[in-house]
Amino acid sequence: MLITHDTRCSLDAVVDLVNTAPENDPATDGLATVAALADFVRNHEVSEVGVLSELDLAAVRRIRGRFAEVFAAPDPASAAAVINELIAAAGTTPRLTDHDGYDWHVHYFAPGASLADHLAADCGMALAFFVVAGEQERLRRCEAPDCRRAFVDLSRNRSRRYCDSRTCGNRLHVAAYRARRKEAAG
């Protein structure tokens, strides 16, 4: 599956956005403040964003929850339904642009769109490409029992199970090794 630079940026943004949600403790919300939202925008180089407010923060948190539904969707039809709602509500307006030193690419958000609509449109379309390509199963949650972070499995054979093999994957492999050693010893 060909993934263009702008689609990859949108995928990275939507994964990071979903992963800012607190699992069980509201104190761990990665988007607890407007300043945190501004950092998210800066870290993902989201273009054409004006001054952010509490309204923007609330709207982005709402779409974050909707994007989480896409990663939890049991089938392509369920994922498509959520994605369709997100991009329709965002007033998707595809247009070609070549800003900030990047070659021609498509922005799906309307000029002057809010940050939430911008993310809903661009990230929604990036996820839509996976559903269209029959690759919705690549939109996953980490299989580590204490993690559940979202990720996009871009491995050739769709075999990735953990959000990060160096942390979650390694931790589980070490635990399994220790359990086998303990069982063998006694």
Side-chain angles (χ1 to χ4, degrees), residues 84-145:
N84 283 339
E85 290 173 14
L86 280 164
I87 60 178
T92 306
T93 308
R95 61 191 163 100
L96 291 169
T97 183
D98 67 341
H99 62 88
D100 297 330
Y102 294 108
D103 285 336
W104 289 103
H105 60 282
V106 180
H107 281 186
Y108 294 96
F109 60 94
S114 69
L115 176 59
D117 285 346
H118 178 145
L119 293 172
D122 276 2
C123 295
M125 289 302 300
L127 296 175
F129 295 142
F130 279 80
V131 174
V132 168
E135 301 284 353
Q136 181 254 339
E137 74 275 1
R138 289 183 182 268
L139 309 176
R140 298 193 176 161
R141 291 289 190 155
C142 184
E143 291 183 18

Side-chain angles (χ1 to χ4, degrees), residues 12-182:
D12 290 344
V14 73
V15 165
D16 287 349
L17 178 63
V18 169
N19 289 335
T20 65
E23 284 296 312
N24 299 313
D25 179 9
T28 62
D29 190 335
L31 292 180
T33 64
V34 174
L37 181 60
D39 287 343
F40 177 87
V41 167
R42 191 171 27 266
N43 291 340
H44 288 281
E45 299 178 359
V46 181
S47 61
E48 299 181 39
V49 175
V51 177
L52 298 171
S53 69
E54 289 290 334
L55 293 174
D56 292 305
L57 180 60
V60 170
R61 284 180 178 160
R62 277 191 301 278
I63 65 159
R64 172 179 70 184
R66 299 304 316 270
F67 280 129
E69 292 176 38
V70 174
F71 282 86
D75 54 60
S78 301
V82 175
I83 293 167
N84 283 339
E85 290 173 14
L86 280 164
I87 60 178
T92 306
T93 308
R95 61 191 163 100
L96 291 169
T97 183
D98 67 341
H99 62 88
D100 297 330
Y102 294 108
D103 285 336
W104 289 103
H105 60 282
V106 180
H107 281 186
Y108 294 96
F109 60 94
S114 69
L115 176 59
D117 285 346
H118 178 145
L119 293 172
D122 276 2
C123 295
M125 289 302 300
L127 296 175
F129 295 142
F130 279 80
V131 174
V132 168
E135 301 284 353
Q136 181 254 339
E137 74 275 1
R138 289 183 182 268
L139 309 176
R140 298 193 176 161
R141 291 289 190 155
C142 184
E143 291 183 18
D146 60 341
C147 182
R148 305 301 300 150
R149 291 176 58 85
F151 68 94
V152 178
D153 179 3
L154 297 176
S155 67
R156 191 177 298 243
N157 62 355
R158 299 176 191 87
S159 62
R160 188 170 160 197
R161 298 174 48 207
Y162 307 110
C163 64
D164 187 345
S165 61
R166 291 170 292 170
T167 55
C168 290
N170 191 44
R171 187 174 63 247
L172 288 175
H173 289 115
V174 168
Y177 170 78
R178 288 180 180 159
R180 285 190 308 272
R181 298 284 294 169
K182 184 177 180 179

Side-chain angles (χ1 to χ4, degrees), residues 1-18:
M1 178 173 181
L2 175 66
I3 300 174
T4 62
H5 176 266
D6 53 316
T7 299
R8 181 58 194 249
C9 290
S10 293
L11 288 172
D12 290 344
V14 73
V15 165
D16 287 349
L17 178 63
V18 169

